[in-house]
Structures are given as C-alpha cells and as structure tokens.
Amino acid sequence: MMRFHRSPAMTLPLVIGGGLLVATIAYADLQSIGLLARDLGAVLPLLLLPSAAWHLLRTIAWHQCFPSNARPSFGRAFRVRLAAEAFSWVTVRGVGGEPLKVTLFDREIR
C-alpha cells in the first residue's frame, strides 16, 4: 500500500490557489462574469477547445518523456501539469511551475 505524503511543494501551491480563489470570489464582479458567460452561450465551449487541445498535447509530450517502465498514468501527468501551470501564473512564468513538475514527479524520476 502506498502512503500518501504531502510535501510543502504540494501544499504551498494548494494554499496559494485556495487564497486566490477566495480573493477572486470576494472581490471580483461575478455578476458581470456570469452575464458574459450567458451572452457567449453555446460558443463558450468552442472558445475553450484550443486551450484544451494545447494542454492535452503538452501532457502527451510530457507523458512520452518518461521511460516506459517508470511512466506515470496519463491522468497523473495531466493533473501534475495543470497544477504546475496554475502555480506558474502566480510566479514568474516557468520559474515556479517547471521545478514544481519535477518535484511532483519525484517518485517517477528516482
């Protein structure tokens, strides 16, 4: 059985992300965001497709970089990539996210 151990590298982005979510909800004009989403209607999912494709293709590339005997599941690679990309948005682009990916993939790269 694998023990789950949450390191500071995993906890800090979670705390920062939670704080940013609370700040966004508290201070953002959610009514105007809702009106924009309503106005876009059925077009909104189509607008999100390029970004979804971008993340999917980058995850496939990351997944293929691991040796076949130590390759993480695709779902794990996708979650780690998205978490690190989100963390990159609150740091200088790439400086925070790339090392975080390596840290979160620690058990696969040993």
Side-chain angles (χ1 to χ4, degrees):
M1 178 189 256
M2 183 181 291
R3 273 184 75 189
F4 183 74
H5 175 66
R6 187 173 300 258
S7 70
M10 292 173 67
T11 305
L12 183 63
L14 182 64
V15 169
I16 291 171
L20 290 172
L21 177 63
V22 168
T24 299
I25 291 171
Y27 298 108
D29 184 6
L30 296 179
Q31 185 176 7
S32 64
I33 294 171
L35 291 173
L36 176 63
R38 188 193 71 200
D39 291 344
L40 289 173
V43 177
L44 185 60
L46 295 175
L47 295 174
L48 297 176
L49 278 177
S51 179
W54 167 258
H55 285 294
L56 182 67
L57 291 173
R58 294 227 6 176
T59 302
I60 291 170
W62 264 87
H63 189 255
Q64 293 301 314
C65 288
F66 288 92
S68 60
N69 62 339
R71 191 169 288 159
S73 69
F74 184 80
R76 176 164 162 68
F78 192 75
R79 288 189 308 272
V80 166
R81 269 209 67 262
L82 284 183
E85 289 295 320
F87 188 68
S88 288
W89 281 95
V90 296
T91 63
V92 177
R93 184 78 179 146
V95 172
E98 297 305 316
L100 182 60
K101 288 176 196 169
V102 173
T103 302
L104 294 176
F105 279 127
D106 184 47
R107 69 176 182 233
E108 285 86 0
I109 59 176
R110 283 183 189 224

